[in-house]
Amino acid sequence: MGIEFLHRTLRTFSVVLLVFLPFGVYYFGVYPTLSILSGGVWGILNLLLLIRLVQQLVKPGGVESAKPVVLTLVLMVLLFVAGYFLLTIPRFEPWQLLIGFTGLFGILFLKALGRVLVKADSQPSAHSDIQKVI
Amino acid sequence: MDYQSMLSLALPLGVAIAAVGSALGLGKAVGSAMEAIGRQPEAAGKIQTAMIIGAALIEALTIYALVVFFIAQGKIG
């Protein structure tokens, strides 16, 4: 299970958000859907920056250049500021933002569960095609 | 002390406790990951992935606390 697992999770969650968009607008209305979508996008950006930061900082050989690390940290601070503004928008309910944000962890959990069920981290077997997909 | 005063004291305190807990957890996670990579540099990719998932979940805890703060803030005054 490498970094590509996280990238696949992010891709899956993006697709889930896109599929949710029309249904959400139809069943819940525009603002609740936008709120959930914003939470989801915020979560995606947060995980992307976290991946970048960990890849730059936690590796054998240490940090080569401080510039990209500082840039990632600045972007993270900007993301948190954006999160604060999202929370203060009157039409956006905080719990709806939270649902969008938590959706990413739901997808992460389901994908990890899928990997455990098909034993994707063990040796290749008859399920190897499924293992590649999950 | 009335209900609203107690809430306005408890809310920031709750976020602060969550932040301290997350900071301690994250510090321990990163420390252990660095130690593990130092011992087995060839497993760096797997360790990074596990660390990112752990860090994201720890970070989520603080964000949940912050959102609960915003939800409960509406009940003050």
Side-chain angles (χ1 to χ4, degrees):
Chain A
M1 193 167 77
I3 293 290
E4 77 283 350
F5 169 75
L6 292 170
H7 288 297
R8 280 203 305 275
T9 305
L10 287 172
R11 246 192 328 255
T12 308
F13 185 55
S14 308
V15 172
V16 169
L17 281 180
L18 280 178
V19 171
F20 170 75
L21 183 63
F23 291 100
V25 170
Y26 184 79
Y27 288 107
F28 307 117
V30 176
Y31 285 106
T33 308
L34 273 181
S35 183
I36 292 170
L37 205 73
S38 307
V41 171
W42 194 91
I44 288 173
L45 291 175
N46 181 43
L47 192 59
L48 271 176
L49 288 175
L50 203 63
I51 291 170
R52 223 172 108 166
L53 194 68
V54 170
Q55 277 184 321
Q56 285 164 350
L57 282 176
V58 185
K59 63 179 180 185
V63 183
E64 286 144 21
S65 168
K67 218 174 171 181
V69 178
V70 172
L71 182 72
T72 312
L73 284 171
V74 169
L75 285 174
M76 278 197 105
V77 171
L78 287 176
L79 186 72
F80 279 97
V81 171
Y84 170 75
F85 283 114
L86 278 177
L87 281 168
T88 50
I89 293 174
R91 282 182 184 269
F92 283 11
E93 292 287 340
W95 62 269
Q96 290 165 348
L97 287 163
L98 205 62
I99 287 173
F101 174 70
T102 310
L104 182 61
F105 295 107
I107 299 288
L108 195 73
F109 172 74
L110 288 175
K111 280 187 92 73
L113 188 70
R115 285 184 74 88
V116 171
L117 287 178
V118 299
K119 297 182 178 72
D121 293 317
S122 60
Q123 285 160 1
S125 64
H127 301 296
S128 54
D129 288 339
I130 304 169
Q131 288 175 356
K132 278 177 204 161
V133 175
I134 295 176
Chain B
M1 196 184 274
D2 64 333
Y3 158 77
Q4 294 205 333
S5 308
M6 280 172 75
L7 199 61
S8 49
L9 269 177
L11 280 177
L13 205 65
V15 177
I17 290 169
V20 168
S22 296
L24 289 175
L26 211 52
K28 203 168 159 47
V30 174
S32 303
M34 296 297 268
E35 220 172 85
I37 289 175
R39 238 183 268 134
Q40 272 187 298
E42 68 278 1
K46 282 185 177 179
I47 295 165
Q48 276 179 348
T49 310
M51 209 204 108
I52 290 164
I53 294 172
L57 291 171
I58 292 168
E59 197 191 349
L61 169 77
T62 322
I63 292 163
Y64 288 147
L66 190 70
V67 173
V68 167
F69 172 87
F70 272 90
I71 292 169
Q73 200 186 24
K75 296 186 190 301
I76 303 173

